[in-house]
Amino acid sequence: MHKILPLSLLILLFTNQISFSQEDTVEDLFDKPATAKEKNIWNYFTYDMGNVFAGVGFAYSRPLHWQGDDFLRLGGVAAGTTGLFLLDDEIRHNFLSHKDDVPDVLLSYGRYAGAPQNNYGLTGAIYLTGLVTKNEKLRRTGVLMISAATAAGFLQQLSKTLVGRARPGAGFGNHHFKPNGGSAAYRSFPSGHAVLTFTTSYAIAKQFDNKWVKGGIIAVGLIPGLSRIYEEAHWASDVALSWAMSAFIVEAIDKYLDRKYDQKYNPDEDGMAMKKSDFEWNLTFGGNQLGVVFQF
């Protein structure tokens, strides 16, 4: 049981970064362009980059403002990830048993989409398109994607070093840790590919109200994380926590951006953005099967 402790502590550290409850905000770094003269590309750019920076800080400050529902989410993520941790070896063997049946194109997509340069290339293209066309919805989407990827990416890079969990392919088993291990073999927890791609897909999915569209976009974002399990680069618990962390960070930063942009995602009948996140995930068992259920 003592080997589970580092993982559980990191779950608390990660999920402590996010809150969905508070209405306070970070100080503006730049004034929002208001007059026709001010509404130019440069002023939009400086305003947006200020919101990228402030959005990261907003996500990191959420533990200071937690309320009851936030602690319930923390408990759910901690319990679910710990459950997967206990079953990591079994899940790994199950994945490897049918790896040959997985189309190579999916594995290749997982490697390509999760590479930082490709992911930031996509987010940058979306933002620049919105900037050049002065489309606030695209600008806001780009700001959300860039700030969320930055916040989540920094946390996962830091944790990889501090925790030093051995990768499945290293052959040490799922209970082996070497904090500050340094080598690539001890950088399993969490998954950078899963963090970046799910952050991007979840942010894009928020633009749509149709749950089938949302589900399709999010499903595409799950592929890189699953591919990393097949390739023995990460354990299932690494990937699942990466997904949860990404979704929580996107929700927190999006809440901040609601106060900075007139364009709201999926407004209600009164034209106000819906504040409550309905993202949840749970570990489920049935017969000889194990599953992770996302509800959005």
Side-chain angles (χ1 to χ4, degrees):
M1 183 61 68
H2 69 283
K3 295 178 180 179
I4 301 176
L5 184 60
L7 181 64
S8 300
L9 288 177
L10 196 61
I11 293 170
L12 296 176
L13 173 63
F14 279 160
T15 54
N16 251 347
Q17 308 304 316
I18 314 302
S19 170
F20 303 114
S21 303
Q22 295 298 310
E23 298 299 324
D24 58 334
T25 185
V26 181
E27 290 294 326
D28 293 334
L29 296 182
F30 298 94
D31 293 329
K32 182 177 181 179
T35 66
K37 183 178 180 179
E38 292 174 344
K39 292 181 179 180
N40 57 63
I41 289 179
W42 175 250
N43 286 339
Y44 280 137
F45 176 76
T46 56
Y47 179 74
D48 294 338
M49 292 304 103
N51 285 328
V52 166
F53 182 81
V56 173
F58 185 85
Y60 288 165
S61 70
R62 292 309 82 208
L64 301 176
H65 309 287
W66 267 27
Q67 295 182 355
D69 288 347
D70 302 306
F71 287 102
L72 290 177
R73 289 186 178 91
L74 168 63
V77 170
T81 308
T82 301
L84 287 173
F85 177 83
L86 296 173
L87 296 169
D88 268 334
D89 269 326
E90 182 177 342
I91 296 171
R92 174 198 176 206
H93 291 311
N94 181 270
F95 269 65
L96 293 180
S97 69
H98 61 270
K99 181 179 179 180
D100 291 340
D101 299 327
V102 179
D104 289 339
V105 65
L106 293 181
L107 298 179
S108 297
Y109 167 75
R111 288 190 296 269
Y112 179 84
Q117 64 273 21
N118 296 327
N119 189 271
Y120 275 103
L122 173 62
T123 60
I126 290 175
Y127 171 70
L128 289 175
T129 299
L131 180 64
V132 172
T133 61
K134 297 183 180 181
N135 183 312
E136 185 180 83
K137 186 173 184 178
L138 281 179
R139 283 175 43 230
R140 174 187 165 138
T141 300
V143 168
L144 176 61
M145 294 165 68
I146 294 170
S147 57
T150 300
F154 174 77
L155 286 178
Q156 67 90 16
Q157 285 292 337
L158 178 64
S159 67
K160 281 175 180 286
T161 300
L162 294 179
V163 176
R165 188 182 190 188
R167 295 182 186 273
F172 297 116
N174 70 316
H175 292 76
H176 189 76
F177 293 86
K178 187 178 179 181
N180 299 307
S183 70
Y186 293 96
R187 295 177 62 82
S188 181
F189 183 80
S191 167
H193 281 64
V195 163
L196 290 179
T197 53
F198 195 71
T199 296
T200 298
S201 65
Y202 192 80
I204 294 174
K206 285 185 68 65
Q207 296 188 74
F208 301 93
D209 190 43
N210 186 293
K211 290 187 178 290
W212 291 105
V213 176
K214 281 180 178 285
I217 295 172
I218 287 177
V220 172
L222 296 175
I223 293 173
L226 294 174
S227 75
R228 301 300 280 170
I229 302 176
Y230 280 111
E231 295 187 333
E232 297 192 84
H234 295 284
W235 303 95
S237 57
D238 302 331
V239 172
L241 182 59
S242 300
W243 290 337
M245 180 180 72
S246 296
F248 291 160
I249 287 178
V250 170
E251 290 287 353
I253 295 176
D254 189 48
K255 184 179 180 70
Y256 168 75
L257 296 180
D258 273 344
R259 306 177 181 93
K260 303 302 171 186
Y261 294 89
D262 295 329
Q263 177 68 55
K264 313 294 184 186
Y265 293 139
N266 306 323
D268 61 19
E269 294 179 356
D270 297 323
M272 298 297 292
M274 292 180 289
K275 297 296 185 183
K276 186 180 185 330
S277 165
D278 57 358
F279 171 82
E280 304 286 350
W281 77 282
N282 297 285
L283 189 67
T284 62
F285 299 89
N288 62 347
Q289 296 182 334
L290 168 71
V292 179
V293 177
F294 288 89
Q295 176 179 320
F296 48 88

